[in-house]
């Protein structure tokens, strides 16, 4: 009896943490059964590994002959972003300087202001939340927010009992 020829395909072999992948095994012998290292027994499995993982499948033909195959899914981390500001509270008309950093070198940034540099200056007219998205070289993303509170300028009224006086 021939051994089954097993093919394993994944919708992606490189993913970002939190994403899912469908892995499909096929056999050239009709009626074969499947047993994955995850203990699932269907030809297709959906996985969401949190770290790089190798998935194996054993295919058994109706005659009891077996073959195995495997696929490795590489998992890349999402960048963790940290925003700092020289001040989180400004008066109307003032400026706050915002800086974002990432734990992954080579991360690119896109602020809600459409700026793409790690350092930006903002002068909101009212309390505003700024969001930045970081994209790692592998295409994984992370976001962070910071709120800048804007205090209004005081309204000053001056009254005098007389507008002209003698020296």
């Amino acid at each position: 009896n021939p051994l089954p020829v097993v093919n394993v395909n994944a919708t992606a072999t490189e993913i970002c943490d939190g994403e899912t992948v469908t892995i499909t095994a096929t056999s050239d012998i009709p009626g074969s059964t499947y047993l994955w290292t995850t203990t699932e027994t269907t030809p297709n499995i959906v996985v969401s590994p949190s770290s790089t993982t190798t998935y194996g499948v054993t295919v058994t033909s109706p005659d009891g002959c077996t073959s195995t195959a495997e696929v490795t899914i590489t998992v890349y981390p999402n960048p963790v972003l940290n925003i700092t500001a020289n001040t989180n509270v400004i008066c109307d008309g003032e400026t706050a300087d915002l800086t974002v950093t990432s734990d992954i070198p080579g991360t690119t940034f896109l602020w809600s202001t459409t700026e793409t540099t790690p350092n930006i200056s903002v002068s909101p007219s009212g309390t505003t939340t700024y969001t930045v998205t970081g994209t790692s070289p592998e295409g994984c993303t992370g976001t962070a927010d910071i709120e800048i509170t804007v205090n209004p300028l005081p309204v000053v009224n001056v009254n005098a009992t007389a507008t002209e006086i003698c020296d």
Side-chain angles (χ1 to χ4, degrees):
N1 293 321
L3 294 175
V5 175
V6 181
N7 290 309
V8 176
N9 293 306
T11 53
T13 57
E14 295 180 341
I15 63 170
C16 297
D17 189 20
E19 294 180 341
T20 60
V21 172
T22 300
I23 305 173
T24 303
T26 57
S27 169
D28 65 335
I29 300 177
S32 295
T33 59
Y34 302 84
L35 178 61
W36 292 91
T37 51
T38 61
T39 71
E40 294 174 82
T41 58
T42 59
N44 303 317
I45 62 171
V46 177
V47 296
S48 185
S50 58
S51 62
T52 297
T53 304
T54 299
Y55 295 92
V57 63
T58 299
V59 176
T60 304
S61 71
D63 298 320
C65 300
T66 62
S67 291
T68 61
E70 60 185 28
V71 64
T72 299
I73 306 299
T74 302
V75 180
Y76 295 107
N78 295 314
V80 176
L81 306 181
N82 182 41
I83 302 177
T84 56
N86 64 330
T87 180
N88 288 54
V89 179
I90 62 174
C91 292
D92 192 16
E94 293 182 338
T95 299
D97 296 321
L98 310 180
T99 301
V100 63
T101 58
S102 171
D103 64 335
I104 299 176
T107 297
T108 58
F109 304 106
L110 177 61
W111 291 89
S112 52
T113 61
T114 72
E115 294 173 271
T116 58
T117 58
N119 304 304
I120 66 170
S121 294
V122 295
S123 295
S125 58
T127 298
T128 303
T129 299
Y130 293 93
T131 302
V132 63
T133 300
T135 303
S136 71
E138 295 81 20
C140 302
T141 61
T143 60
D145 298 316
I146 191 168
E147 183 178 85
I148 302 300
T149 301
V150 178
N151 291 324
L153 296 175
V155 175
V156 179
N157 292 315
V158 177
N159 295 317
T161 55
T163 58
E164 294 181 9
I165 60 172
C166 296
D167 190 16

